[in-house]
Amino acid sequence: MNAQRIRLIIGLMTVALVGVICLQIYWIDWNIRLNEEQFDKNVFAALNRVAGKLQYFETVSAIEAIPAGHGESFENKMTMWESMKVLQLFDAKPLAERIQLDILAKSVQEEIAGRGINATYQYGVYSKERNSYVIVNDHFVVEDSGPQITQGGAPTLYNSPYKVALFTQDMESPGYLSLYFPSRTSLVLGSVLKALVLSIIFTGIILFCFWYTIQVIYRQKQLSEMKNDFINNMTHEFKTPIATISLAADSIGSPMIMSHPDKIKRFVDIIRQENRRMNSQVERVLQMAMIDKKDFQLSLDDLNLHEVIQQAVDNFSLQVEKRDGILRTELHAQKPVIEGDPTHIASIIHNLLDNANKYSPDKPDITISTNDVAMGVEITVTDKGVGISKEARKHIFDKFYRVHTGNIHDVKGFGLGLSYVKAIMTAHKGLVDVKSEPGKGSSFILTFPKQVNA
Ligand code: ADP
């Protein structure tokens, strides 16, 4: 997949995700508003019913109160009440006295519960004449001088949007009944809470997967670029010795050279040297196959790290000396014997020395030291080369990773040496660490346990 297509896919996914999130927000908001409307409708319906009941009970009790001494029929009482009403006899009575507390409490409770509203509430009756609440919940309010004095739910009753006029059959309604729900917001939100939480969880999962997929795509892309680099590098590394060998062979075959055994010997040496170079390249490719296999077998043996190091240094010192460099050993470990695979350990020490040499642009100054540590034995390979940046340090043990900077670019390599070191150290239950300062040099620290299967 090329970069443009990846960007396109990411763009499309982002647009789709933002769209889905906006839609979710819209739906949830819409739902909340719908719930609010439904709730308000129910509350007003309940209030209207209560107001109706209060009116009805007043009428009934008024009719019953008309003296029946003269054997008057109900119809007569009705007519009398009608005329009393016309005369506005009841208006004279204060609002609080026209309402029975128990009937009010019961009606409110019934109407609210009957509409499926399961929440605490406060109610109150407001008198226009007194200019204050005269009933709050189930008691009369003797003196109410405003919202700030009234305790309990009353101050909020003042602000409640739920109110209906009482006794609307009077010439002028004497006051209103209001209801207040302290938990209205959580009640309305509660019904969409499940949808909201699920939406957040699912959106979170999608976002995570989206992020993870992009990560994987980029990692794969990087890996495929590294593999390409590897192939280019390898081709280059093989081409040079092949060309040299071919040239040397041609030269040996020429009649001018054939008669000079010393010249033949020189060309044979060149062929041998180039052959060795190719051999070590093949060795590296094989090492890579080894890293991939993961479950490779170590042939463990007791080995003296000092001997292995000495051997590696002997083999390597010529290369360092050729560049006028120094290769020092400081073997301080008292107990350098560990359990390990001699071939692999020799290889990784060689890799570290090779890197120390490769990444020292001037005369190499390399020190290899050992020390006893709590875990076992520690080997440190220190150079005064180019060093490694903090960012690169995170990746140098990854397969195919190479630092791409102008002046290091011409150093040949496959980006496999350190991942091989890491694989071998892990197989030995050991550790590998790096300390480095760009421009000053690097130290690679290998820590071996005494026993692999301790
Ligand atoms: P290669 O040397 O083949 O590129 P390695 O796996 O051995 O691969 O190293 C990975 C990268 O780590 C190298 O490309 C180099 O940039 C960096 N590196 C390794 N050793 C050193 C060192 N001693 N000094 C500076 N950089 C180093």
Side-chain angles (χ1 to χ4, degrees):
M1 221 194 300
N2 63 28
Q4 213 177 352
R5 226 183 275 176
I6 294 175
R7 266 200 295 269
L8 182 73
I9 296 280
I10 291 173
L12 282 176
M13 268 166 95
T14 312
V15 169
L17 256 174
V18 170
V20 168
I21 291 173
C22 287
L23 258 175
Q24 292 275 351
I25 294 172
Y26 171 78
W27 275 112
I28 287 169
D29 180 61
W30 189 77
N31 243 305
I32 291 174
R33 256 184 282 163
L34 202 74
N35 272 332
E36 269 176 344
E37 266 173 39
Q38 190 60 42
F39 185 82
D40 291 356
K41 231 161 110 182
N42 277 337
V43 173
F44 276 115
L47 276 174
N48 280 323
R49 286 275 302 183
V50 174
K53 275 189 190 171
L54 290 179
Q55 179 98 54
Y56 169 79
F57 279 113
E58 185 188 55
T59 312
V60 171
S61 59
I63 294 169
E64 278 171 4
I66 295 171
H70 307 96
E72 282 179 76
S73 69
F74 187 75
E75 283 73 25
N76 277 344
K77 279 190 179 185
M78 234 357 231
T79 338
M80 279 178 74
W81 181 75
E82 289 286 326
S83 38
M84 278 155 76
K85 196 177 162 300
V86 170
L87 291 169
Q88 291 292 311
L89 283 179
F90 289 100
D91 279 4
K93 253 182 167 181
L95 180 57
E97 285 171 33
R98 296 172 67 182
I99 296 167
Q100 283 169 303
L101 282 183
D102 54 341
I103 289 177
L104 176 64
K106 202 163 151 261
S107 317
V108 172
Q109 199 270 329
E110 269 174 14
E111 294 300 330
I112 300 259
R115 279 170 178 77
I117 302 172
N118 191 10
T120 52
Y121 57 83
Q122 277 137 15
Y123 59 91
V125 173
Y126 185 85
S127 156
K128 284 183 186 164
E129 186 200 6
R130 290 248 315 261
N131 217 357
S132 72
Y133 273 93
V134 287
I135 296 173
V136 168
N137 296 338
D138 50 3
H139 58 271
F140 291 111
V141 178
V142 183
E143 206 166 314
D144 169 15
S145 17
Q148 69 281 11
I149 291 178
T150 335
Q151 299 259 310
T156 33
L157 268 179
Y158 274 87
N159 318 327
S160 176
Y162 304 120
K163 41 181 84 152
V164 288
L166 286 172
F167 302 112
T168 44
Q169 288 185 8
D170 295 2
M171 286 270 275
E172 193 194 341
S173 162
Y176 54 80
L177 169 69
S178 68
L179 252 177
Y180 169 67
F181 293 89
S183 52
R184 177 180 179 272
T185 316
S186 53
L187 216 68
V188 171
L189 284 183
S191 51
V192 291
L193 197 69
K194 260 189 232 154
L196 188 75
V197 169
L198 282 178
S199 285
I200 290 173
I201 292 175
F202 288 140
T203 313
I205 293 175
I206 292 174
L207 276 176
F208 173 78
C209 292
F210 179 43
W211 170 83
Y212 186 77
T213 312
I214 291 173
Q215 292 280 98
V216 170
I217 290 175
Y218 273 109
R219 222 177 296 149
Q220 291 294 335
K221 201 165 157 282
Q222 221 174 10
L223 202 69
S224 97
E225 274 166 14
M226 285 173 175
K227 279 200 168 148
N228 275 344
D229 275 6
F230 169 72
I231 291 169
N232 288 343
N233 264 326
M234 195 172 66
T235 320
H236 181 90
E237 301 267 319
F238 280 116
K239 257 186 167 168
T240 322
I242 289 171
T244 319
I245 289 172
S246 150
L247 217 72
D250 284 351
S251 308
I252 293 171
S254 86
M256 259 175 67
I257 304 287
M258 271 199 189
S259 50
H260 295 92
D262 54 325
K263 282 190 181 162
I264 293 183
K265 190 181 172 299
R266 231 191 93 213
F267 285 119
V268 169
D269 280 346
I270 291 177
I271 291 176
R272 231 183 248 131
Q273 196 184 335
E274 291 303 303
N275 196 54
R276 217 177 298 135
R277 229 170 93 180
M278 283 212 288
N279 207 33
S280 81
Q281 303 296 358
V282 172
E283 198 68 28
R284 293 222 158 181
V285 179
L286 289 179
Q287 283 180 2
M288 178 186 73
M290 180 89 97
I291 303 164
D292 272 344
K293 249 170 71 189
K294 290 240 167 72
D295 58 341
F296 54 87
Q297 288 292 315
L298 295 176
S299 32
L300 294 174
D301 210 345
D302 278 348
L303 65 96
N304 187 326
L305 283 177
H306 287 177
E307 283 170 15
V308 179
I309 290 170
Q310 207 53 59
Q311 185 69 45
V313 167
D314 289 348
N315 290 342
F316 202 77
S317 55
L318 203 73
Q319 288 196 43
V320 180
E321 278 160 21
K322 249 199 274 176
R323 298 182 58 206
D324 285 337
I326 314 165
L327 175 53
R328 265 182 244 108
T329 50
E330 293 175 3
L331 308 180
H332 301 308
Q334 297 294 317
K335 296 173 192 156
V337 177
I338 59 146
E339 187 187 24
D341 184 316
T343 323
H344 285 306
I345 293 179
S347 280
I348 63 176
I349 291 171
H350 177 85
N351 279 358
L352 292 182
L353 291 175
D354 191 35
N355 279 350
N357 182 40
K358 273 200 302 192
Y359 299 105
S360 297
D362 306 322
K363 293 174 189 172
D365 181 338
I366 306 167
T367 309
I368 179 160
S369 61
T370 63
N371 281 296
D372 293 311
V373 289
M375 189 174 147
V377 186
E378 190 182 82
I379 303 178
T380 309
V381 179
T382 306
D383 64 63
K384 296 194 175 147
V386 290
I388 308 161
S389 71
K390 195 175 171 204
E391 186 51 37
R393 279 206 293 274
K394 287 187 212 154
H395 302 290
I396 50 172
F397 295 102
D398 295 348
K399 216 166 81 176
F400 296 125
Y401 180 85
R402 304 202 69 215
V403 177
H404 287 279
T405 52
N407 57 350
I408 304 180
H409 207 56
D410 48 331
V411 178
K412 307 284 176 302
F414 296 148
L416 291 174
L418 288 180
S419 56
Y420 171 71
V421 171
K422 171 108 187 172
I424 295 301
M425 287 312 288
T426 309
H428 279 87
K429 308 260 162 61
L431 303 169
V432 53
D433 195 11
V434 59
K435 294 203 168 74
S436 182
E437 213 175 311
K440 299 227 167 123
S442 319
S443 286
F444 284 85
I445 304 144
L446 308 177
T447 316
F448 288 93
K450 291 267 175 198
Q451 300 279 312
V452 174
N453 296 311

